[in-house]
Amino acid sequence: MHDPRVLLDPATDAVRRLARRGYALDVTALEKLLSARNAAIHRGDEARAESKRTATSVRSASPDERPALVERARELKTVVADAETEARDLDAQLQDLLMGIPNLPADDVPDGSSDDDAELIRTVGEPPVLDFAPLDHVDLAEKLGILDLPRATKLAGPRFAVLRGKGAKLERALARYFLDLAEENGYTEFSVPTLVNRETMTGTGQLPKFEQDLFKTGVADRELYLIPTAEVPLTNMHARETLAVDDLPLAYTAHTPCFRSEAGSYGRDTRGLIRMHEFSKVELVRIVEASTSRDELELLVTHAEAVLKGLGLAYRVIKLAAGDMGFSAQTTYDVEVWLPGQQKYREIASASDCGTFQARRASIRTRTADGSRGFAATLNSSAMPIGRTLVAILEQGQQRDGSVRIPEALVPYAGFEVIEPA
């Protein structure tokens, strides 16, 4: 969330910067609400000050003067109450407006709104050269007997999966491998709730704008949401807290199921494990001093890349265009893995610097040794989604005889080297 005064400061250039995201900032509405709220607060403060002076005068007034002063005190009490009510109502309207304004993109983020506008940062590893026609992951997994989509559909409908045998073991092995790498890179592992309240979803920017993308449920009289990513609970663990700058950065990781309705993506990647309603993922979150967030992003993306390097998978890193970034991000790097079955790179992870945007929403503050206060910066990255990594392993590891050789780093976790056709 933004400080409205910063958005209205010409030096911020908010209108132009938000236009790069495709968002039209209504400066008139913002100015009007801010001015009206401040005027109501000022009116209430003045009436409250006069009320105190009047109360003092009543005590020393003569009998003739006292009735008029008492009546004035009653009038001022009403003015204060009315001003407070008006200020609350206007502040609620102002907050609603601010909650819907996305983060300002960094100046070095490229213009545009699609993958075609992204900036290529680096390519790592050579895509495998296969001397046969590669299969996509669904055909491969079904021939291997490790994926059962019809039974998943019977259980829950489309965009769910059932993994069996070595497929299920590989899923478990990947989670353990990802978490071990995260720990080696200094992250503390957490086990967190996958059901959270509205305030928690609001803190990281999923609400109110993206309610249609979430699965909502309830327990007794509580409104709860299934998390779309562990970023939500990990970041909000420090909501409404003040952190000592000397204790930063904080580096957290968690392996959780993730739930997404995929509203608005009808028809996209409906076959297989690319775009699911339920999937599991290991997430990395960093909470840092605001002035260091850009350097922290460069570090974070290397932690995400470490997973793919360790698995020997070919990938590339791109910087997303302003109009293609998530709501809370000011800079995002996407990590894209090579899929022979599609003959293209596909997103497998995103690493985002949110600056102070989420910290303002969740009220995550910082305090220096000399007492100076500010807001923290938050960053997050997948490291990695289990399903999409499994897709890459199957497609890049496929052999002419229909088998799949798994990466050497996973063998100690999985207990096997090859998945043979069923």
Side-chain angles (χ1 to χ4, degrees), residues 303-321:
H303 293 160
E305 290 181 82
V307 176
L308 299 182
K309 286 181 178 178
L311 296 175
L313 296 173
Y315 70 92
R316 71 180 184 182
V317 179
I318 62 173
K319 184 189 292 184
L320 291 189

Side-chain angles (χ1 to χ4, degrees), residues 281-285 300-301 304 335 349-352 379-383:
K281 180 161 67 90
V282 170
E283 186 77 0
L284 305 178
V285 164
L300 177 62
V301 75
V335 181
S350 288
S352 294
L379 303 96
N380 63 81
S381 177
S382 309

Side-chain angles (χ1 to χ4, degrees), residues 39 57 74 140 175 188 242 266 324 341 376 387 417:
S57 298
R74 291 196 190 99
L140 267 171
T188 300
T242 298
Y266 181 79
D324 199 28
E417 299 178 1

Side-chain angles (χ1 to χ4, degrees), residues 194-214:
T194 54
L195 282 168
V196 298
N197 57 33
R198 173 172 284 272
E199 184 179 12
T200 298
M201 282 290 191
T202 302
T204 39
Q206 281 73 29
L207 289 177
K209 186 174 178 61
F210 301 104
E211 187 149 8
Q212 65 171 349
D213 294 324
L214 304 172

Side-chain angles (χ1 to χ4, degrees), residues 4-15:
R5 296 166 300 180
V6 173
L7 289 178
L8 294 172
D9 185 345
T12 305
D13 203 10
V15 172

Side-chain angles (χ1 to χ4, degrees), residues 20 79 299:
R20 298 179 65 213
V79 171
L299 177 64

Side-chain angles (χ1 to χ4, degrees), residues 29-84:
L30 182 59
E31 286 180 328
K32 183 177 179 181
L33 280 172
L34 180 61
S35 177
R37 185 203 64 176
N38 291 345
I41 292 172
H42 181 66
R43 186 164 60 255
D45 289 344
E46 285 192 328
R48 195 175 294 106
E50 185 182 348
S51 178
K52 289 180 180 178
R53 293 194 299 271
T54 303
T56 301
S57 298
V58 167
R59 289 192 292 270
S60 60
S62 67
D64 292 340
E65 297 172 328
R66 188 171 293 122
L69 290 171
V70 170
E71 180 60 28
R72 180 56 180 163
R74 291 196 190 99
E75 292 173 356
L76 290 168
K77 185 176 181 180
T78 300
V79 171
V80 170
D82 289 347
E84 288 177 344

